[in-house]
Amino acid sequence: KKELEGGDTSVDELQEAFTQVKQGAADRVKQVYKTPCPNGDHKAEAMYYFWVKELDCVSCDNTVQLFNDYRVAKGRYESDDKYNVFCPSCEKVVSVDDWQSDGPCPSCGTSFNPSEGTVDRSGYSCRECGQKYGITDAIPEQGDFGLSLYAVEYYCSHCDATGENKSVYKGYKQAEQFDHDLYEEARKSLDENDDIKEYIPSAEIRPGWSTDATQFEGSMSGNGNLPGYGITKWKDMFNKRQLYGLSIILEEIDQIENQRIKEYLLLALSDSLRYNNMMIGYNHSHNKIHDMFKTNSFDNVNKPIEGNVWGAEYGTGSFSKMFDLVVSGVEYANSPSERYVENGETQKIEGFQKKVGGNHSLYQGDLRDLELKENEYDLVLTDPPYYNNVHYAELADYFYVWLQLILKDNYECFNQESTPHNQSIESNPAINKGVEEFQSELAESFKKIKKTLKNDGALVFTYHHSDSESWGELLEALCNVGFEVTATYPITADINKFTDGEAVTFDIIVVARPADERTPTSWNSLRREIYRTARETRRGLEENRDLSRGDIGVMEMGACFHEYSKHHGKVQRDGEIMSAKEVVKEIYGIIQEASDIGVEDVFIDLLDTPTPSFDDVNKLCRGTNATPEDLKETCLYNQDDGFELGTWDNEKRQAYIQERVNGDGGDHLSNLDKLQFLRYRYEKGQAVQNYVEKWDIDDDLRELAGRLADVTGDDTYTRVLGDRDITSY
């Protein structure tokens, strides 16, 4: 909604509204984010406060601070070869050469290893008595965990203005009594101000897979256990100072009369919620905070970071910084432009004549329930749910409960206490939905889309999942309602997506159109096409791009979808029709299991290469179970008189096969050996039937014969086996 309204929104009016909010909120919020400058008798801005959770030892009276390790941040500027760490003895922030080795504290002299904290996978341990105990066991027993402020990252405008070095006016320091007192001042101000409490959500967190998976049976990623860490309401994810600052800003936003402008300010506040909570940690190596949803889940951290809610001169994720991004978006919507790279420099073209927005209709609701015209649209662009990968509704509640405070009287969809979990199209034990529900509900949506499309229209969407079952469900739903995948394109995707420990930096753009009449085929025939498609895709990508195996696999998958969807519902194996899920599972295996690709596959690819060379042998063997030596030893190529392939009519290849036939009667002949031997005899007018009967022709041999016939255009390979149509197998 706000994207489409951007072209009709005045940047000046937006800035005026921000100024109004700033006048009412900025000073009130910023005054509780001050800290004594370590370089003089004046105050600096607090960029980030470093907190650590605490639990009592179950055996002695000691309070245990839950440090995974004692890192604060990597050194910067002239100290970029050092590390800032917290000393557990003198409780000062000190600089060391190596945070992973034993050494004396530069302040108190106590020897410690900053990498060895009090927390590991089994729980926490007491530094005094050594007692270990589970964190999620201790929290309910002790009522809650405590919090201790131990460090501050600051920026001092005074030192900056007087010409001090950057390492002086921006750095890390020990938390002082002033910092503790200032937090208490913010807490007291919140407790005594009933007006701003109305701008703090009071909603309970509904049980879901991302919030409390312990209540449901099943196993998949993204599981959460918020109650185990004492979090039962959404406001429990924030400390008192954060709630104080956020509620003041929200109260001032609510005073803006222009609803359209007000919503842009809400957008900035909503985005800042990703960085202003007690569920995020610090990126020690890059000296900045994490985004709460970098893993698309609610992750507990033992060393939470509190950012400056309004924003300091430096820092990430504050309300004022997010507002700057909103302004950039509105400016772009008023004058859209494109960028390109020329001679290594980014160039920007003049703005387009048409603004973002214009004549459009916007609907909110479940696609399956919307009343849309049939045969109306040329194009549908969408982003379908990713099976069980991300539980959007459960995560969205985190933002929803804040936005609802302002929008509940403006939009029907904000009248509810939370987002509609049960309507989500996903596989999720928390809403009793699995594979069948995901497929059927997704198919309902695709069916509705197909009705709205013109006959020559296109459905375009992105999809990404590392699980073959998910791809199968998607393709089954898409093809069952009459779509055919006509093209796939890779695009750079979220860098936080991983599969098997390997970053997958591509999504697939899938283009689908209403299907023409589908043609029947056998699985063996389709399998040959899929092998060829996958290998050609991989070969082209390996030659032209430096991509991970995961990236290439995603793109191979998309290309193979196109081959399958031309025959959906008409692929036979052993007399039965294969489902899309069964085919995708086979495709997934072909792509993922490089060990299945052997000498015969590489040789067929060489046959399909216009002018094969030894360099092609090396490239095609890469990532397979075949080696150039394997092909050379079996005379499938030789370089005696230049590079030659060991085809059926190659003298050296036939000599190799004849020697094996004469020597052991064929017991150690490969299927390729047998077919080339039969092809040679057929060419010479010699009998082949006795060999066919002796070798007990099976489906694997017939499949290879079909592949050779396809790649060479020579159907003699299939005729020598009995002159039968390969599709019958």
Side-chain angles (χ1 to χ4, degrees), residues 324-587:
D324 290 340
L325 293 180
V326 170
V327 171
S328 297
V330 173
E331 288 175 339
Y332 175 86
N334 276 273
S335 181
S337 61
E338 191 58 88
R339 292 173 174 80
Y340 63 96
V341 177
E342 184 177 74
N343 299 325
E345 298 291 332
T346 300
Q347 308 292 332
K348 181 179 178 181
I349 68 171
E350 294 183 7
F352 300 128
Q353 292 182 352
K354 185 175 177 59
K355 297 180 179 181
V356 171
N359 183 22
H360 67 272
S361 298
L362 183 65
Y363 303 88
Q364 188 280 327
D366 191 319
L367 171 68
R368 295 164 292 179
D369 299 330
L370 293 179
E371 295 297 328
L372 301 174
K373 295 180 181 179
E374 295 186 13
N375 303 317
E376 176 74 10
Y377 304 107
D378 298 292
L379 176 67
V380 173
L381 297 171
T382 186
D383 187 15
Y386 291 175
Y387 189 51
N388 63 0
N389 206 27
V390 182
H391 306 297
Y392 290 103
E394 295 179 2
L395 301 178
D397 278 347
Y398 172 79
F399 303 99
Y400 178 90
V401 294
W402 288 89
L403 295 174
Q404 193 224 18
L405 298 172
I406 304 297
L407 299 178
K408 59 186 176 182
D409 294 330
N410 301 93
Y411 300 101
E412 184 179 348
C413 58
F414 278 98
N415 286 338
Q416 306 171 69
E417 290 187 0
S418 60
T419 59
H421 291 199
N422 291 335
Q423 286 93 315
S424 295
I425 300 177
E426 62 179 346
S427 176
N428 185 348
I431 54 176
N432 296 314
K433 288 186 179 181
V435 173
E436 293 182 1
E437 288 80 6
F438 175 78
Q439 180 183 321
S440 63
E441 292 183 6
L442 193 60
E444 287 179 35
S445 297
F446 285 147
K447 186 176 182 180
K448 187 68 175 280
I449 290 172
K450 188 170 182 293
K451 282 186 177 181
T452 68
L453 276 177
K454 296 178 181 178
N455 290 335
D456 59 349
L459 164 64
V460 180
F461 60 90
T462 61
Y463 197 74
H464 184 119
H465 203 290
S466 61
D467 186 355
S468 65
E469 184 177 25
S470 168
W471 286 105
E473 299 297 339
L474 173 76
L475 198 57
E476 188 86 45
L478 187 65
C479 292
N480 276 349
V481 299
F483 278 108
E484 175 184 327
V485 176
T486 57
T488 56
Y489 304 94
I491 57 170
T492 301
D494 184 354
I495 61 172
N496 294 321
K497 293 174 180 173
F498 294 89
T499 175
D500 297 330
E502 182 178 26
V504 177
T505 55
F506 284 93
D507 276 1
I508 288 180
I509 294 179
V510 178
V511 181
R513 295 181 183 274
D516 295 327
E517 185 176 349
R518 292 186 165 110
T519 57
T521 188
S522 70
W523 165 240
N524 286 337
S525 179
L526 178 61
R527 186 172 181 267
R528 292 196 300 273
E529 289 300 320
I530 287 172
Y531 256 114
R532 178 181 299 170
T533 298
R535 293 300 298 276
E536 288 176 353
T537 302
R538 183 188 316 145
R539 187 190 313 170
L541 293 169
E542 288 177 341
E543 288 177 354
N544 300 309
R545 297 285 297 273
D546 182 17
L547 300 174
S548 73
R549 188 69 191 89
D551 294 338
I552 293 173
V554 169
M555 284 177 273
E556 285 178 296
M557 181 75 76
C560 293
F561 280 1
H562 174 56
E563 288 300 320
Y564 165 72
S565 64
K566 293 185 291 188
H567 310 285
H568 172 72
K570 296 186 177 182
V571 180
Q572 286 198 19
R573 179 170 62 180
D574 298 330
E576 296 184 358
I577 298 297
M578 295 179 70
S579 69
K581 288 182 284 187
E582 291 174 320
V583 173
V584 169
K585 187 174 182 179
E586 297 286 353
I587 293 173

Side-chain angles (χ1 to χ4, degrees), residues 2 73 81 84 95 97 118 131 207 283 321 333 433 478 567:
K2 305 316 296 179
D81 59 339
N84 297 292
S95 180
D97 293 328
T118 57
Q131 175 68 49
N283 188 325
K321 294 291 177 65
K433 288 186 179 181
L478 187 65
H567 310 285

Side-chain angles (χ1 to χ4, degrees), residues 233-289:
K233 294 184 177 183
W234 292 109
K235 66 180 181 180
D236 294 340
M237 293 186 176
F238 307 84
N239 70 20
K240 293 290 187 178
R241 178 160 45 196
Q242 289 171 330
L243 292 175
Y244 175 71
L246 290 169
S247 61
I248 286 176
I249 296 171
L250 193 57
E251 180 186 37
E252 292 300 323
I253 290 175
D254 198 24
Q255 309 310 309
I256 302 298
E257 295 183 359
N258 186 316
Q259 183 66 23
R260 173 180 291 186
I261 297 297
K262 177 189 293 187
E263 289 172 2
Y264 280 111
L265 293 165
L266 279 176
L267 199 62
L269 182 70
S270 176
D271 211 22
S272 72
L273 292 173
R274 294 188 294 125
Y275 297 93
N276 290 286
N277 56 72
M278 298 297 278
M279 302 286 289
I280 59 174
Y282 199 77
N283 188 325
H284 306 99
S285 299
H286 294 89
N287 302 82
K288 63 180 183 180
I289 55 175

Side-chain angles (χ1 to χ4, degrees), residues 507-695:
D507 276 1
I508 288 180
I509 294 179
V510 178
V511 181
R513 295 181 183 274
D516 295 327
E517 185 176 349
R518 292 186 165 110
T519 57
T521 188
S522 70
W523 165 240
N524 286 337
S525 179
L526 178 61
R527 186 172 181 267
R528 292 196 300 273
E529 289 300 320
I530 287 172
Y531 256 114
R532 178 181 299 170
T533 298
R535 293 300 298 276
E536 288 176 353
T537 302
R538 183 188 316 145
R539 187 190 313 170
L541 293 169
E542 288 177 341
E543 288 177 354
N544 300 309
R545 297 285 297 273
D546 182 17
L547 300 174
S548 73
R549 188 69 191 89
D551 294 338
I552 293 173
V554 169
M555 284 177 273
E556 285 178 296
M557 181 75 76
C560 293
F561 280 1
H562 174 56
E563 288 300 320
Y564 165 72
S565 64
K566 293 185 291 188
H567 310 285
H568 172 72
K570 296 186 177 182
V571 180
Q572 286 198 19
R573 179 170 62 180
D574 298 330
E576 296 184 358
I577 298 297
M578 295 179 70
S579 69
K581 288 182 284 187
E582 291 174 320
V583 173
V584 169
K585 187 174 182 179
E586 297 286 353
I587 293 173
Y588 198 81
I590 290 170
I591 291 172
Q592 296 296 323
E593 298 298 329
S595 60
D596 287 347
I597 301 172
V599 169
E600 293 173 353
D601 303 301
V602 172
F603 179 72
I604 287 175
D605 280 336
L606 286 168
L607 286 174
D608 202 27
T609 302
T611 54
S613 65
F614 179 69
D615 185 48
D616 293 313
V617 175
N618 274 320
K619 287 181 179 178
L620 291 170
C621 285
R622 195 178 306 146
T624 74
N625 200 35
T627 67
E629 290 74 23
D630 294 334
L631 275 78
K632 185 175 182 179
E633 289 175 3
T634 55
C635 294
L636 287 171
Y637 81 88
N638 70 79
Q639 294 176 290
D640 297 341
D641 298 309
F643 185 86
E644 289 184 343
L645 273 184
T647 53
W648 67 267
D649 54 352
N650 179 268
E651 184 178 338
K652 293 183 175 61
R653 172 65 175 156
Q654 273 303 321
Y656 168 83
I657 297 173
Q658 288 284 357
E659 183 180 353
R660 294 172 70 82
V661 171
N662 296 334
D664 53 36
D667 290 343
H668 299 291
L669 289 172
S670 71
N671 281 342
L672 183 57
D673 294 336
K674 294 174 182 178
L675 286 168
Q676 287 188 329
F677 176 74
L678 294 173
R679 179 65 183 83
Y680 180 82
R681 289 185 66 85
Y682 185 91
E683 188 69 20
K684 298 299 182 181
Q686 300 171 352
V688 298
Q689 188 62 29
N690 56 330
Y691 287 101
V692 171
E693 294 174 355
K694 179 174 66 172
W695 287 338

Side-chain angles (χ1 to χ4, degrees), residues 15-27:
Q15 292 284 11
E16 288 173 6
F18 176 75
T19 299
Q20 179 181 327
V21 173
K22 183 177 181 180
Q23 289 172 346
D27 287 344

